[in-house]
Amino acid sequence: MSTTQSDRLRVLLEPLVAAKGLDLEEIEMSRAGKRRMLRIIVDSDEGVELDACAELSREVSDKLDETDVMGEDEYVLEVSSPGADRPLTEHRHYVRATGRLVKFQLAEGGELIARILEADDEGLDLEVPGVKGRKATARRIAFTDIAKARVEIEFNRKDKKEEEA
């Protein structure tokens, strides 16, 4: 997708997404056979429910039909939330991942797997799990020291609501 088309779509769709209390995370265009696929990824601090995606999809479709931003060719529209394993790239992603286990690729080289305890403007307070029965340790990491970060899927992780009960 051309930068111009991407920019035009973002300008057109951001107000619709924001009106629903959501963040427009990503717009991606790809080919699926003869058709084009337009994928809109949205998120919020509380997550995104299926009904909200369906409602937003109808509104986005109507808005796109009113304009020429997609041209005359057919396309398939998909509005969804990001996957659980999406990269953490924005400050808000780290805030939303508080309490989650994250795999960090460090700018200086190497990697670190730790749980995010708190995020502020400069970096993260982490809990590094202990190895072989040792206690977990605290660590502070600046955002500038992170090359890449991705949430690790935990199948036996307790939900915050379960922990509070």
Side-chain angles (χ1 to χ4, degrees), residues 93-123:
H93 299 164
Y94 291 99
V95 172
R96 291 175 185 158
T98 298
R100 305 289 306 267
L101 197 62
V102 175
K103 183 176 187 177
F104 297 94
Q105 297 294 324
L106 304 176
E108 64 197 27
E111 66 181 35
L112 170 68
I113 297 177
R115 190 168 309 279
I116 297 176
L117 299 177
E118 190 173 334
D120 59 34
D121 291 339
E122 288 82 37

Side-chain angles (χ1 to χ4, degrees), residues 62-112:
D62 291 345
K63 190 64 145 181
L64 293 174
D65 289 347
E66 293 171 8
T67 70
D68 67 343
V69 72
M70 290 301 293
E72 296 297 319
D73 294 339
E74 289 185 24
Y75 65 92
V76 175
L77 173 64
E78 179 183 304
V79 176
S80 65
S81 62
D85 64 344
R86 69 120 185 258
L88 305 178
T89 58
E90 302 284 335
H91 182 267
R92 67 178 176 264
H93 299 164
Y94 291 99
V95 172
R96 291 175 185 158
T98 298
R100 305 289 306 267
L101 197 62
V102 175
K103 183 176 187 177
F104 297 94
Q105 297 294 324
L106 304 176
E108 64 197 27
E111 66 181 35
L112 170 68

Side-chain angles (χ1 to χ4, degrees), residues 22-26 39-44 47-48 53 79-88 93 96:
L22 302 171
D23 295 315
L24 180 56
E25 294 291 347
E26 191 174 339
R39 182 171 288 122
I40 312 291
I41 309 294
V42 296
D43 202 4
S44 79
V48 182
C53 285
V79 176
S80 65
S81 62
D85 64 344
R86 69 120 185 258
L88 305 178
H93 299 164
R96 291 175 185 158

Side-chain angles (χ1 to χ4, degrees), residues 126-138:
L126 305 174
E127 178 184 72
V128 181
V131 180
K132 296 182 181 180
R134 294 185 180 149
K135 287 186 177 183
T137 57

Side-chain angles (χ1 to χ4, degrees), residues 99 115 154-163:
R115 190 168 309 279
E154 296 179 85
F155 294 105
N156 59 354
R157 178 177 171 257
K158 286 187 178 181
D159 190 303
K160 287 181 185 177
K161 292 176 185 170
E162 289 178 33
E163 290 174 1

